[in-house]
Amino acid sequence: METSAGCRLNGSGSGSGMITVEDLESFTDDQDLDSACHSHGSGSLEVDTEPMEDEQGRLLHYWQDIGRVHQVDVPTDMAVPIQQLTTNNHSSAAREKVPFTLITRKDKCGEILYEKRHYEKAKWACIPVQEEKYEQSICLGFMKLMRYICEQNSSGSYLGMTIPIVTVVRTEQSRSLLSREVIVAYHLPAQHQDHPPQPNDTDIVIQEWPASIIYTRSFSSVTNEGSILNEINLLVEALDMPQIHMEDSFIVAGYTNPAAPIRSNEIWVLHRP
């Protein structure tokens, strides 16, 4: 699949290549958001408010610094989406969580082995990506979804952030190798579920995913190819249910900044009796 330039993995490091909205949250944790990104709160606009371009530049440079840690180049045309996500996501409460109903949970010695959940049918914005490296595919897919979320859609409006951002991955039968093609997907917020704005980017497709029973396992390591394969096999082993037909598709759900000391991810397996 031909892709646009601008999200490039440099070198062959083993760290995660994904840049997420949580990286912006770490910016607000480490620095005073009011001093870095002037907001239009109550009261009059101050005369010494810095130009919008200066704010965008600071945030872009911050993301580019994060990108270098992950060996990823962040293009300059991401400046506006980055600023919009920053100003609209001051805290985790500003991000809508994908709703589900917990059916059951299996524990062993105080450790949660997996949860069984029910997810209602919902519309997702999906982008298929196939790059040389898994981390590069995730990066490019998420950048494209960020642009869609941040006004590059038929409504011309900011849509709102939801978590998790999920990635559909495929393995061969032995579950020891990931396919190069992945699908990165964003759950449309509740207010846009009935009438989703159409993406300007024709590579992004709006799909309705059916209601599903999903087994999930949480993990807190980086999301590179090795860790994903390890977590997939741990979940399959924990399930130990021959009546569940294991196919070659799994989902990686990301909730937090991959650079955070404590990361929050999940592996999802679709229940197929």
Side-chain angles (χ1 to χ4, degrees):
M1 176 179 179
E2 184 177 351
T3 57
S4 60
C7 185
R8 185 171 67 254
L9 190 71
N10 297 321
S12 57
S14 61
S16 170
M18 184 172 180
I19 306 299
T20 75
V21 68
E22 294 291 346
D23 285 308
L24 296 178
E25 183 181 357
S26 68
F27 177 81
T28 63
D29 288 343
D30 296 338
Q31 302 183 34
D32 185 346
L33 182 63
D34 290 335
S35 64
C37 305
H38 297 286
S39 60
H40 293 190
S42 59
S44 60
L45 188 66
E46 296 295 332
V47 174
D48 62 351
T49 298
E50 296 186 8
M52 186 72 72
E53 291 79 5
D54 291 346
E55 297 177 6
Q56 290 178 359
R58 265 200 313 278
L59 290 168
L60 176 64
H61 292 325
Y62 175 75
W63 262 52
Q64 288 173 333
D65 287 344
I66 293 175
R68 279 187 285 273
V69 172
H70 296 293
Q71 300 175 321
V72 172
D73 287 342
V74 178
T76 56
D77 68 354
M78 288 301 300
V80 172
I82 287 170
Q83 185 185 40
Q84 289 177 333
L85 284 176
T86 303
T87 56
N88 285 283
N89 291 280
H90 292 179
S91 68
S92 59
R95 295 184 292 279
E96 182 180 317
K97 293 184 178 180
V98 178
F100 66 86
T101 301
L102 178 63
I103 298 173
T104 188
R105 177 185 291 130
K106 183 176 181 180
D107 303 83
K108 183 178 181 180
C109 300
E111 177 189 2
I112 298 176
L113 297 182
Y114 64 82
E115 289 185 346
K116 183 178 181 181
R117 303 172 181 170
H118 177 264
Y119 286 83
E120 297 290 347
K121 70 177 181 179
K123 294 185 176 68
W124 295 72
C126 306
I127 174 75
V129 192
Q130 184 173 349
E131 294 293 314
E132 181 180 353
K133 295 180 181 293
Y134 169 81
E135 293 91 343
Q136 186 177 12
S137 294
I138 300 304
C139 174
L140 179 59
F142 186 70
M143 293 267 189
K144 284 176 171 281
L145 289 176
M146 281 180 64
R147 294 183 179 99
Y148 168 63
I149 294 166
C150 297
E151 300 184 1
Q152 294 187 27
N153 57 70
S154 58
S155 72
S157 61
Y158 174 78
L159 302 182
M161 192 63 200
T162 62
I163 53 173
I165 294 291
V166 305
T167 307
V168 181
V169 299
R170 290 179 172 81
T171 70
E172 31 65 88
Q173 188 173 8
S174 67
R175 294 189 291 274
S176 61
L177 186 68
L178 288 184
S179 169
R180 293 278 69 84
E181 182 175 23
V182 303
I183 297 174
V184 186
Y186 153 76
H187 184 276
L188 272 295
Q191 63 178 332
H192 297 299
Q193 280 289 320
D194 291 338
H195 304 285
Q198 294 303 302
N200 294 354
D201 186 339
T202 56
D203 287 340
I204 299 175
V205 178
I206 306 299
Q207 296 180 348
E208 181 172 88
W209 292 6
S212 303
I213 301 295
I214 291 178
Y215 292 93
T216 75
R217 174 182 170 85
S218 297
F219 67 101
S220 57
S221 65
V222 297
T223 51
N224 57 33
E225 185 169 343
S227 69
I228 289 170
L229 288 168
N230 181 60
E231 294 298 333
I232 286 173
N233 285 296
L234 286 174
L235 176 54
V236 171
E237 181 182 347
L239 288 172
D240 191 24
M241 296 179 181
Q243 69 271 26
I244 296 179
H245 176 56
M246 290 293 177
E247 296 198 356
D248 63 350
S249 294
F250 300 86
I251 293 176
V252 183
Y255 291 84
T256 53
N257 169 18
I262 301 177
R263 299 156 185 157
S264 179
N265 310 295
E266 293 174 340
I267 292 293
W268 293 1
V269 172
L270 186 64
H271 179 104
R272 297 183 188 276

